[in-house]
Each structure stands twice: as structure tokens, then as C-alpha cells.
Amino acid sequence: MSTTHPLYDVPRLHRDDTDERDACALICAVRKGGQPTHGNVKRTIQALTRMGHRTGFVDGEGDGVGIMTDIPRELWAKTMALQGLRSSLATTSGFWVAHLMIPNHLRAERETLVTAIETRINAAGLDILIQRDGLVMSYVLGRSAEKNEPLFVQFAGVNGSVPLDQLEPTIYRLQREIEREFGVHFPSFSSRSVVYKVQGTVEILRRYYPELRDPEYASTITLGHARYSTNTNPIFERAQPFNVLGHNGEFNTVSRLRYEAAMLGIELAPTNSDSQDVDAVIDALTMQHGLDLIEAMEYVFPPFEHDLMQGDDELRAMYQDIRRGFGPFAQGPAAVVARVGDHCVFSVDALGLRPLWFGETEKEYFASSERGVYPLDNMSKDPKPLAPGEKIALVSRPGQEIEVLDYPAIQRHVQRRWRERGARVAPVAGGNNG
């Protein structure tokens, strides 16, 4: 029997939201030279469009679509100049952008909510330079999406009195406090990336957000996701990407994940879907517990014995210790693309039942749900499917070529970080990681 979700005037298919699952189209494109371009954004959306057959429809409307990009700094520099502000601030590492969605049922409280949120941001030590209603074309929405459309508000500012090395953790805590207290949703709040998402089809995304069509909108890393929901309600806030990831498939260890998260002091909202839980855990491991994204993905989706490099007993012992202490947190079937700052990780869980292909063109590396998302004559080499349990990581550094880490290199990275923290385990000569 369906019920009504307390925040949205739409039927809810389950009493327990943790029973919900997703299965979707996924694409991430990373510019090889590390420079941001508009073509990177445009090609990612085009590739997502080619996977339109993977997306879902309810009453003729798309389940939801979104992209995560770098902050479009040139656009913000132009906006700041038009408002008499120093445009060069938009290119500094202390510049941040927040995308806020105020649920439809709170529209009448817009002024009060925005004022209260501004107060909280300033109290945290951040300086707000611009606050404005984001430009959207509501007329392109379907009937259900129009009924559920939230207010889209943009904030931009600088770190103020917050040290640069504490900027992202400060933003992380602030976002969660504001969402919990005011019942709003941040698609993104970061000094590195932004998320645009909509309840609808891939074709609607660029029409709903005109900024995405601006030739000056440039990104080095663009993650796109189009949703096929098997039994979740299509609303703006559920569209992916979330803060960290987009995924294709489902997670079948919800109770275990919530148990492990609680032990680490990670709060998970009771209305989260399975993918929102995983996103929140990975986000917390990087922001609360000091892991980088490559480590966090290994902790949440740990390898098994046969996935490990052979002949390194210390490495095997380290992963045994990780599995004993942390999980596995989550198992699929799921393919996952995650981004935090300058790190991207492409992953297929140990079951390997959801495809993720890794390939490259002359201009970009890409990971996608299907191999044919780019024309064949653009390929530099044949795309390859990630094996069960395999991961590939990309590291972006300003002005430098993208670094690609295969799975052995990822394991060595985790081992090096483990040693840097002073962690030590006794090497083992036998046994397994189960």
C-alpha cells in the first residue's frame, strides 16, 4: 500500500525508503590535458543522451538526470565583474559555490530560509559575495516535475576567516547542519565542483539550465547520470549525481552499511535511498576521517584475496585488517563513478553484474555504462570493461596531464597512505580476506 512522503506531495511506494533501489546510465569524461573546456561538458551530455534507452519514464516524464562539473569559474568571474566585484576571486582556491534547492512546499518561506542560511554560512566564517535565484526554464518541465519543482538558489563566496585546508571540511559540516535543520537540499556545496540536476530526461537538462549551454562554461571533469528507478519516486532531490557519486545498479547491504556508519559517527538520514547512504558514507570518510577518495572507495568496496597483487604479504595483511575493521560496507550489483576534488574513481563491485567500460579518445578518458557512447572513429583504443572488483583512478592536477592509476597502482597508493599514518600490521603468509 502506498503512503505519502512527508516532504513531497507524491505517493511513496514503500513505508521504508531503505528498501529502494536504482539502476541507471552513467558517464564520466576527464580531459587528458587537465585543462577545462566547454567541449568536455557538451560531449558528456551527448554521451548520456546516447544512453537514453537506459533511463526510466513515469507518465511520460524522465526519472531524473544530472551532471557534476568543475565550478565554471569563467562564468562566475563574468558574473562578479558585472556586479562590481573583483572577478579574479573566482579563480582562487578559496572560492566556493553552493547550489541550494528549497522544496516546493517551502516556497512561501523562501526569504526567511535564505536569510537564515546566509546567517549560518557567515557564522561559519565564510564570506558570501553573491546570492541569487538560479536561472531555470520551468516551462520545459513535465506536469509532475512542475508540481514538485523546488526553488533553485545559488550562493558564491570565498573562504573568509576559514583556513584553506579547512575549507572543504567546514563546508561539509555546514551543509549537513543546514539540510538537517531547515529541510532543504544542496545538490552541491564545494570549492571544487557543482551539480545541476532535474526531474526529467537528458534532453531537458541543458534546456532547464541555460548556463550549461554557455560556451564559457568549462570543466576538466564531468560526471553525468540518468536515472532508471525500479521503485523509487522521481523527484529533483533524488536525481544523481549526489555530493560524491553517481551509480548504475543497486546496493544490497543497507542494514550493514547503516550499522557500520553509526559506529563511525556518520549520520544517515532515515529517508535516504541506498545510493544516498553510500554517497554519504564516502563523503564522510573523506571529510570527517581524512581519507582521500581512492582510500575511501577501497574501504567501502574492499577487494578480495584474488583481487590483490601477489607476493606482497604486508599488502595482504593491510587489506585483511581493513576488512576486519570496516566491512565490507556495501555490495551491489553496482558500478560506481565518484569524484572528490581532483580525484576520480571508477569501480565495479565484487559481483561484477553492472557494466562499466573504461576508454579514451584523443581528448579524454571516459568511463561509461556502455562502450559505444563516443563515435568509433574518435576512439584512441578499444574500451575495456572493468572486471569484478576492479577500480581505476584518475588524478587531475592544474596544468598537468591526467594521471591514470590501474588497480595495482591503487593498492600501492592505499598501502603508502596506510604507512604514512603510522599504521602497521604483521605480514601474513596465508589465509584469505573473507
Side-chain angles (χ1 to χ4, degrees):
M1 185 176 79
S2 68
T3 58
T4 300
H5 193 289
L7 296 182
Y8 310 102
D9 186 19
V10 294
R12 194 179 77 186
L13 300 178
H14 299 288
R15 294 187 183 91
D16 185 355
D17 284 337
T18 59
D19 287 341
E20 299 179 356
R21 302 288 184 268
D22 298 322
C24 323
L26 188 60
I27 173 72
C28 182
V30 182
R31 185 80 178 185
K32 284 184 173 180
Q35 71 274 28
T37 68
H38 181 64
N40 175 266
V41 179
K42 187 176 180 180
R43 283 186 293 273
T44 302
I45 296 175
Q46 288 173 342
L48 199 59
T49 301
R50 294 188 182 103
M51 293 186 284
H53 55 278
R54 301 182 68 94
T55 62
F57 292 85
V58 177
D59 293 332
E61 298 180 33
D63 275 354
V65 60
I67 62 168
M68 177 194 296
T69 73
D70 302 346
I71 290 175
R73 295 182 184 275
E74 292 301 320
L75 279 187
W76 278 106
K78 183 168 61 176
T79 298
M80 292 170 65
L82 290 173
Q83 297 199 17
L85 300 168
R86 185 154 55 93
S87 62
S88 61
L89 289 173
T91 64
T92 66
S93 55
F95 183 76
W96 55 265
V97 173
H99 283 180
L100 171 69
M101 285 183 172
I102 299 175
N104 187 277
H105 73 282
L106 294 178
R107 277 177 173 266
E109 302 176 40
R110 187 254 185 228
E111 295 302 324
T112 301
L113 283 170
V114 170
T115 299
I117 291 169
E118 285 181 328
T119 300
R120 294 295 294 274
I121 292 174
N122 288 325
L126 303 178
D127 291 342
I128 299 173
L129 300 174
I130 294 174
Q131 178 270 305
R132 67 181 186 182
D133 287 344
L135 180 61
V136 296
M137 300 290 105
S138 300
Y139 68 86
V140 305
L141 297 176
R143 183 176 60 181
S144 175
E146 186 177 23
K147 183 178 180 181
N148 299 320
E149 183 185 17
L151 287 171
F152 177 53
V153 182
Q154 293 176 307
F155 297 86
V158 290
N159 57 308
S161 62
V162 178
L164 283 177
D165 64 348
Q166 290 300 306
L167 178 55
E168 283 297 314
T170 298
I171 286 173
Y172 168 82
R173 290 191 295 270
L174 189 60
Q175 175 180 342
R176 271 139 193 81
E177 290 170 1
I178 292 173
E179 287 180 330
R180 186 170 54 247
E181 182 173 346
F182 298 105
V184 296
H185 172 67
F186 285 96
S188 57
F189 191 166
S190 173
S191 62
R192 301 176 290 202
S193 59
V194 291
V195 171
Y196 293 81
K197 56 187 181 179
V198 64
Q199 180 183 336
T201 63
V202 179
E203 292 78 11
I204 281 179
L205 181 64
R206 293 177 80 241
R207 296 170 60 198
Y208 186 70
Y209 295 108
E211 286 180 349
L212 297 177
R213 303 197 300 268
D214 193 311
E216 293 188 74
Y217 193 113
S219 182
T220 300
I221 302 170
T222 303
L223 193 169
H225 184 279
R227 191 168 184 256
Y228 183 95
S229 172
T230 53
N231 58 6
T232 53
N233 297 311
I235 57 175
F236 280 75
E237 291 82 353
R238 283 276 174 88
Q240 296 182 39
F242 298 125
N243 283 338
V244 172
L245 64 79
H247 92 287
N248 167 32
E250 60 189 48
F251 300 106
N252 290 313
T253 50
V254 174
S255 297
R256 175 63 181 266
L257 177 66
R258 287 178 165 267
Y259 175 75
E260 297 279 0
M263 291 179 63
L264 289 174
I266 301 172
E267 293 186 22
L268 300 177
T271 56
N272 276 0
S273 66
D274 57 332
S275 48
Q276 286 175 306
D277 279 350
V278 174
D279 178 87
V281 168
I282 294 173
D283 207 6
L285 289 176
T286 60
M287 295 300 157
Q288 289 181 214
H289 297 279
L291 302 182
D292 65 29
L293 176 63
I294 298 173
E295 294 175 286
M297 288 290 287
E298 281 289 85
Y299 280 49
V300 173
F301 304 103
F304 289 89
E305 176 72 16
H306 57 268
D307 298 320
L308 298 175
M309 291 186 297
Q310 300 302 307
D312 190 332
D313 289 341
E314 183 194 44
L315 183 89
R316 291 173 57 213
M318 177 193 73
Y319 274 106
Q320 280 191 348
D321 203 46
I322 289 172
R323 288 184 66 85
R324 281 195 297 265
F326 290 92
F329 281 96
Q331 288 299 328
V336 179
V337 173
R339 180 206 177 163
V340 173
D342 296 331
H343 286 170
C344 281
V345 177
F346 310 144
S347 172
V348 174
D349 80 312
L351 295 178
L353 298 178
R354 292 295 183 271
L356 192 64
W357 295 80
F358 179 71
E360 58 181 289
T361 67
E362 180 183 350
K363 297 178 179 179
E364 287 155 345
Y365 296 107
F366 69 88
S368 69
S369 300
E370 296 184 1
R371 64 184 299 181
V373 295
Y374 289 94
L376 185 61
D377 56 2
N378 287 353
M379 302 284 188
S380 298
K381 58 180 66 174
D382 288 340
K384 78 176 192 73
L386 271 66
E390 184 180 5
K391 298 181 183 70
I392 294 174
L394 272 61
V395 181
S396 171
R397 299 181 180 90
Q400 299 183 33
E401 294 286 326
I402 297 295
E403 180 183 5
V404 180
L405 304 182
D406 61 13
Y407 203 20
I410 286 174
Q411 293 174 17
R412 288 192 291 269
H413 172 88
V414 174
Q415 185 179 31
R416 183 171 61 255
R417 294 272 293 178
W418 180 272
R419 289 170 175 166
E420 288 171 355
R421 292 191 179 88
R424 291 290 186 272
V425 292
V428 296
N432 57 58
N433 283 10

